[in-house]
Amino acid sequence: MGNQKEASRIRGRVLPFLQDGDYFFKRGIKAYHKKELNKARKMFERAVFFQPEEPAFLCQLASVLAEIGEYELSNDYLHEALAYTEEEMAECYYFMANNYAHLGLFSEAEQYALLYMEHDPEGEFFEDSQELLDLIHFENDDKDLSEALVEEDDLIQKHDDAKRSIERGELVLAKEQLNAIIDQHPTFWAAYNNLALTHFYKSEYEEALQVLQSVLEKNPGNLNALCNMAIFMSQLGMKENGRVLLNRLKGVHPIHPDHRYKLGNTFGLLEEHEYANRWLLALKKTSLMHDPVVNHALAVSFYALGKPGLALKYWKRTADIDLDGNVASYYMKKAEEGTLVVSGSDYQYRVPKPSMPKALPENRKMSSMIERFKQIRQSLEKNKLTHLFLLRGNKNEESYELLQEVCQREEEPLFLKEIAAAIMLEHDPAQPVILVHGGNKAEISTPSPVLSSGMDIIQCLKENGTAIDEDVMFYWLETVRFAKEEEKRILQNTAGAAAAIDYMARKHKGKTSQKAISELYGVSVSILSSRVKKVSEWLGRSM
């Protein structure tokens, strides 16, 4: 092996090091057989990351999670495995039944044990399922489980009644209903979340935040509470806390369809359209895609990302599902007329209230601008770029390894690799970085000052509450490209460059003034204006 590496070095070629799902899966199996469960979990998670629709990877990860006691997460992956396989994997039902039994959720355990026995009456776990049912009956002191199911149905009905009260605007009644549910079922977190919403709708903001805080103290990972808290903070102007929470949500990877919808819709309301689209699109193989609300939200996310064809596709699906509704027809008409501009509020399933029409900006180079947008989308994946920026702040061994993988993966765009290399050199200036591209490799020993300044600008934009959306990313890339190719010092004043990028991105949407942006970033209007002028001239030459 050593000779092979040396020969490759002498010939100036690079031996590809392919890391895909199968690679990590095999490493996970080895670790699993050695009972190194935490390592096995890490390897299986990476396998699922590379091939998220492979049922075998999902099932093996679920098995490890069950062994280390994470039964709920294990069941999430088992549900996912069932969604991605064309053949019925009946054993998943048995494994889920076991997980529910460990959680003390005996009615659910009975349900899935019976599902397994129904789908695979000759299966290897049939007798085990029967024993599990006997154990469930014993644990419940021979209580008729049908009674427990009736109680559960009653709770669901009461909660649905409370939600309908909220929808009708009967907020006082909703508060009474939800408080009654909480008194009887103190760990039924959904009631708390809807109680927080009720307080918020009544402008009882302090009470709303207190309810969510109490949920997160008792149940720290409650996704609905985290999402609602992020929305509340955004609407109440709590920018810094809201940004911290939003970044936390960007690292969440739910499996359950309801959680994916909640996360996607939250990102949409907060105008993080890329993340909204990712999680809403992840519902494609679930029953939620029969819901007009979900299809409409997905359509809005596509439209916000500059993909009107896909947006119209999902609005047509919305119209087909909701035959009596008028939401889809409203949006399709506006989109076809070219007068539709979407924002976070459009993710709600309703026809917007009439407002004064905004004049569309005239731009002779608009067609060139659109074409440039397309080129950027094709050459760079924004979520990867965002992930690199996050790794910049995590100076640990695992982050360094991930950055190293980016630099050595042949298929990644060169610009992404250059950014990854600059971050690695910030982490460890004494260690040169090997960058592989186009069948060649290069050793980089000093970080690019342009890219380092560019990343500082991204940080400045975030600190001032600017969402790193498609428009911002476009102008950031063009500003960095201008500084790099024209050897201009436009990036030296971080706040000035960030203000210019933010201004141009907002102006493209038709809403801002130079005075407002200069005040936000603490720079003079003349500094902002000069940078906007330089980048605009560059765009005029390069388009």
Side-chain angles (χ1 to χ4, degrees):
M1 183 66 178
N3 291 337
Q4 185 185 39
K5 284 185 176 179
E6 180 63 19
S8 175
R9 187 186 66 78
I10 293 170
R11 290 193 299 270
R13 294 204 301 265
V14 178
L15 291 175
F17 179 48
L18 300 178
Q19 293 185 340
D20 56 10
D22 288 325
Y23 169 79
F24 288 113
F25 182 73
K26 290 173 182 175
R27 288 188 63 184
I29 290 293
K30 288 181 181 179
Y32 183 72
H33 287 156
K34 294 178 181 178
K35 296 299 180 183
E36 298 173 350
L37 297 182
N38 287 325
K39 182 178 179 181
R41 172 185 179 168
K42 182 178 179 181
M43 292 300 104
F44 291 138
E45 284 177 338
R46 288 202 171 192
V48 168
F49 174 81
F50 280 107
Q51 292 173 241
E53 299 183 11
E54 175 51 60
F57 296 175
L58 293 163
C59 286
Q60 197 62 55
L61 176 55
S63 176
V64 172
L65 290 168
E67 288 201 39
I68 60 180
E70 295 197 26
Y71 302 112
E72 291 183 72
L73 189 55
S74 174
N75 272 355
D76 284 342
Y77 281 107
L78 290 168
H79 276 293
E80 192 80 350
L82 285 169
Y84 281 132
T85 182
E86 295 180 0
E87 298 179 5
E88 199 68 57
M89 295 178 68
E91 62 269 25
C92 288
Y93 294 126
Y94 171 71
F95 298 141
M96 282 191 278
N98 268 287
N99 286 340
Y100 280 124
H102 280 292
L103 290 166
L105 301 172
F106 298 118
S107 61
E108 288 87 349
E110 181 188 43
Q111 175 188 347
Y112 282 95
L114 290 172
L115 272 173
Y116 171 76
M117 297 170 76
E118 175 187 339
H119 283 83
D120 197 2
E122 304 296 329
E124 61 174 309
F125 301 114
F126 190 88
E127 291 184 7
D128 294 322
S129 296
Q130 187 60 62
E131 288 180 9
L132 179 60
L133 291 174
D134 293 340
L135 178 63
I136 290 170
H137 294 148
F138 175 76
E139 290 289 341
N140 280 275
D141 297 323
D142 294 325
K143 178 183 178 181
D144 186 353
L145 284 177
S146 63
E147 291 181 19
L149 292 173
V150 168
E151 291 177 9
E152 188 175 307
D153 288 341
D154 182 58
L155 170 61
I156 293 171
Q157 182 60 53
K158 287 179 178 178
H159 190 235
D160 285 342
D161 290 341
K163 288 194 291 184
R164 279 193 288 273
S165 295
I166 295 173
E167 291 167 2
R168 292 194 299 267
E170 299 172 356
L171 301 179
V172 175
L173 175 59
K175 283 173 64 175
E176 293 175 359
Q177 293 169 320
L178 292 165
N179 279 315
I181 292 171
I182 290 169
D183 288 342
Q184 294 179 4
H185 305 276
T187 59
F188 187 58
W189 308 119
Y192 289 87
N193 281 303
N194 280 301
L195 179 60
L197 287 172
T198 306
H199 281 300
F200 197 83
Y201 295 151
K202 287 175 62 62
S203 300
E204 298 168 355
Y205 303 127
E206 187 174 345
E207 292 88 342
L209 293 173
Q210 285 175 351
V211 171
L212 293 181
Q213 192 59 46
S214 70
V215 173
L216 293 172
E217 287 172 0
K218 300 169 187 173
N219 187 231
N222 189 285
L223 183 62
N224 284 315
L226 290 169
C227 288
N228 288 337
M229 185 73 86
I231 293 168
F232 291 177
M233 286 179 173
S234 173
Q235 295 196 17
L236 294 174
M238 302 167 68
K239 289 186 177 181
E240 185 57 38
N241 291 334
R243 278 198 299 271
V244 171
L245 185 51
L246 189 61
N247 286 334
R248 181 179 172 186
L249 288 173
K250 288 179 179 178
V252 173
H253 296 275
I255 298 298
H256 195 281
D258 287 338
H259 290 165
R260 288 184 169 189
Y261 171 70
K262 180 65 176 180
L263 192 59
N265 196 55
T266 298
F267 280 128
L269 291 169
L270 298 176
E271 300 197 2
E272 290 279 349
H273 303 297
E274 188 83 28
Y275 283 91
N277 182 262
R278 176 196 300 178
W279 290 116
L280 293 169
L281 197 59
L283 299 171
K284 280 186 70 174
K285 295 189 177 182
T286 71
S287 59
L288 286 179
M289 286 310 295
H290 299 294
D291 189 333
V293 176
V294 176
N295 281 274
H296 167 71
L298 185 54
V300 172
S301 71
F302 272 124
Y303 197 86
L305 294 174
K307 300 176 181 178
L310 286 170
L312 287 170
K313 170 186 172 182
Y314 283 96
W315 273 318
K316 286 173 183 175
R317 285 191 58 174
T318 304
D320 290 340
I321 297 168
D322 187 6
L323 297 175
D324 298 324
N326 58 354
V327 175
S329 58
Y330 168 86
Y331 278 91
M332 284 192 288
K333 181 181 178 183
K334 288 284 185 181
E336 288 163 355
E337 290 174 349
T339 59
L340 180 61
V341 177
V342 297
S343 64
S345 61
D346 290 287
Y347 283 81
Q348 301 174 48
Y349 190 60
R350 50 116 178 94
V351 174
K353 293 179 181 179
S355 60
M356 292 297 291
K358 295 180 180 179
L360 293 175
E362 291 184 8
N363 189 341
R364 296 177 181 177
K365 299 182 182 298
M366 185 57 72
S367 60
S368 297
M369 183 79 78
I370 292 171
E371 185 59 35
R372 182 70 185 142
F373 266 115
K374 289 179 181 178
Q375 291 173 10
I376 288 175
R377 290 193 191 105
Q378 290 169 358
S379 63
L380 293 174
E381 292 184 38
K382 181 187 154 241
N383 60 335
K384 286 186 178 180
L385 197 54
T386 303
H387 191 58
L388 289 182
F389 294 139
L390 291 175
L391 290 176
R392 190 190 189 197
N394 297 327
K395 295 187 178 182
N396 53 50
E397 186 177 345
E398 185 174 359
S399 296
Y400 194 88
E401 289 177 1
L402 289 170
L403 291 164
Q404 200 167 42
E405 286 183 20
V406 172
C407 289
Q408 295 181 1
R409 286 177 69 83
E410 187 67 52
E411 63 272 22
E412 299 293 359
L414 180 59
F415 191 65
L416 275 177
K417 295 177 184 178
E418 290 175 337
I419 293 175
I423 297 172
M424 289 173 70
L425 288 166
E426 287 182 356
H427 285 197
D428 187 357
Q431 180 64 41
V433 176
I434 303 300
L435 190 150
V436 178
H437 195 74
N440 299 308
K441 65 180 179 180
E443 184 178 283
I444 302 173
S445 56
T446 55
S448 163
V450 171
L451 292 180
S452 293
S453 297
M455 288 184 286
D456 290 339
I457 289 167
I458 288 287
Q459 186 62 35
C460 183
L461 286 162
K462 289 182 176 179
E463 289 173 355
N464 283 280
T466 301
I468 311 302
D469 60 15
E470 205 80 19
D471 289 328
V472 170
M473 193 57 64
F474 169 75
Y475 287 108
W476 178 82
L477 285 166
E478 289 299 330
T479 302
V480 171
R481 196 162 69 98
F482 170 55
K484 192 175 180 181
E485 296 186 19
E486 298 286 310
E487 297 183 355
K488 300 294 184 182
R489 301 168 65 185
I490 192 171
L491 305 183
Q492 282 195 330
N493 185 329
T494 301
I501 290 166
D502 195 356
Y503 171 77
M504 289 184 289
R506 296 191 194 211
K507 195 69 177 176
H508 185 250
K509 300 184 183 80
K511 49 176 183 179
T512 195
S513 69
Q514 289 196 3
K515 184 175 184 296
I517 295 299
S518 64
E519 289 176 354
L520 176 63
Y521 285 85
V523 299
S524 67
V525 173
S526 61
I527 286 177
L528 170 60
S529 179
S530 68
R531 280 152 180 77
V532 169
K533 182 180 179 182
K534 288 176 182 177
V535 175
S536 298
E537 289 173 352
W538 157 259
L539 286 169
R541 295 196 305 272
S542 64
M543 296 275 181

